[in-house]
């Protein structure tokens, strides 16, 4: 079977950078006079988190969680496990959970519950991509850069088998086998 290939660019590097600046400005306005802690999820959100952090003018700390997602015995997705926990306490802090993509919502809901149990002063979600059409569990997304169609995308942290994370742009991956092999 042929490897999937990039079908088209969905958002150029310039569009992504511009949109991150806009969202960062919104966050700065909302958190004026406060200190923020950005919590990233390894590895996908690292690229977005660093780009966002560089545009913030409010004081910001950074910490990371690592997770692994897996299906249950019947093959249904949605099970998440913490593989690497935060380094520091978040008690009493203003936390912004930074995600690469909120798709079904399972991962984000799990992370929200995990973080909420640690007693932060506030907890909000910022995601690079949102695919609201595939949502199964509702999660409150406070900041989003783009809502995207129901296609598999890569770039700016998003991977296919750990590849493509380092693209400066976001692209649709063609997952269909070519017609003659179908
Ligand atoms: P959830 O379905 O909201 O739990 O999303 C789980 C995870 O699936 C995300 O954090 C991504 O790592 C991955 N994911 C979902 N959609 C895509 C995509 O289009 N490209 C790459 N990874 C994706
Ligand atoms: Mg992934």
């Amino acid at each position: 079977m042929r490897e999937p290939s990039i079908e088209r660019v969905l958002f150029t590097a310039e569009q992504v950078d511009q949109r991150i600046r806009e969202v960062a400005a919104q966050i700065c306005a909302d958190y004026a006079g406060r200190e923020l802690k950005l919590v990233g999820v390894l590895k996908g959100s690292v690229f977005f988190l660093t780009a966002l952090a560089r545009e913030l003018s409010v004081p910001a700390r950074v910490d990371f969680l690592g997770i692994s997602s897996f299906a249950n015995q019947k093959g249904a997705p949605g099970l998440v496990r913490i593989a690497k926990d935060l380094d520091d306490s978040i008690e009493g802090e203003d936390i912004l959970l930074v995600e690469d993509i909120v798709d079904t919502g399972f991962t984000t809901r799990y992370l929200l519950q995990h973080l909420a149990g640690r007693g932060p002063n506030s907890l909000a979600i910022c995601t690079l991509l949102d695919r609201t059409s595939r949502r199964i569990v509702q999660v409150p997304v406070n900041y989003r850069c783009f809502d995207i169609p129901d296609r598999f995308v890569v770039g700016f942290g998003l991977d296919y088998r750990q590849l493509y994370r380092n693209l400066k742009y976001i692209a649709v991956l063609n997952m269909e086998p070519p017609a003659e092999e179908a």
Side-chain angles (χ1 to χ4, degrees):
M1 204 189 88
R2 197 186 63 158
E3 274 294 296
S5 57
I6 289 184
E7 182 178 299
R8 67 190 162 94
V9 174
L10 192 56
F11 303 110
T12 64
E14 292 72 25
Q15 286 173 316
V16 174
D17 293 348
Q18 171 60 26
R19 187 67 191 125
I20 290 175
R21 280 194 290 272
E22 289 169 9
V23 169
Q26 243 181 303
I27 293 169
C28 288
D30 293 350
Y31 288 86
R34 292 149 81 189
E35 288 182 356
L36 197 53
K37 181 177 277 180
L38 307 176
V39 169
V41 187
L42 298 171
K43 308 187 243 324
S45 80
V46 168
F47 297 76
F48 174 46
L49 184 144
T50 53
L52 180 72
R54 289 163 56 112
E55 299 297 332
L56 294 177
S57 54
V58 290
R61 294 185 174 83
V62 170
D63 205 347
F64 291 98
L65 279 166
I67 55 166
S68 45
S69 314
F70 47 97
N72 69 13
Q73 285 160 345
K74 289 176 183 158
L79 298 179
V80 183
R81 182 178 66 80
I82 302 284
K84 180 223 170 283
D85 210 337
L86 295 172
D87 287 336
D88 300 315
S89 163
I90 57 169
E91 197 178 338
E93 297 187 54
D94 292 314
I95 303 300
L96 189 60
L97 175 63
V98 180
E99 289 267 33
D100 53 354
I101 182 166
V102 183
D103 186 31
T104 61
F106 281 117
T107 308
T108 308
R109 183 180 63 175
Y110 176 86
L111 292 173
L112 273 184
Q113 287 169 349
H114 179 78
L115 295 173
R118 304 271 177 94
N121 179 55
S122 70
L123 185 51
I125 301 174
C126 177
T127 189
L128 174 63
L129 304 179
D130 198 351
R131 202 189 275 119
T132 49
S133 62
R134 276 180 38 98
R135 197 74 93 250
I136 296 174
V137 295
Q138 293 312 312
V139 286
V141 174
N142 305 80
Y143 306 95
R144 85 166 56 79
C145 292
F146 303 103
D147 201 343
I148 61 162
D150 190 5
R151 296 294 311 276
F152 194 87
V153 295
V154 292
F156 225 94
L158 290 114
D159 72 301
Y160 171 74
R161 297 191 178 164
Q162 301 301 329
L163 283 173
Y164 303 110
R165 290 194 199 277
N166 59 322
L167 298 180
K168 292 177 187 168
Y169 52 89
I170 294 166
V172 172
L173 206 63
N174 182 0
M175 306 294 277
E176 307 297 328
E180 60 274 19
E181 291 174 28

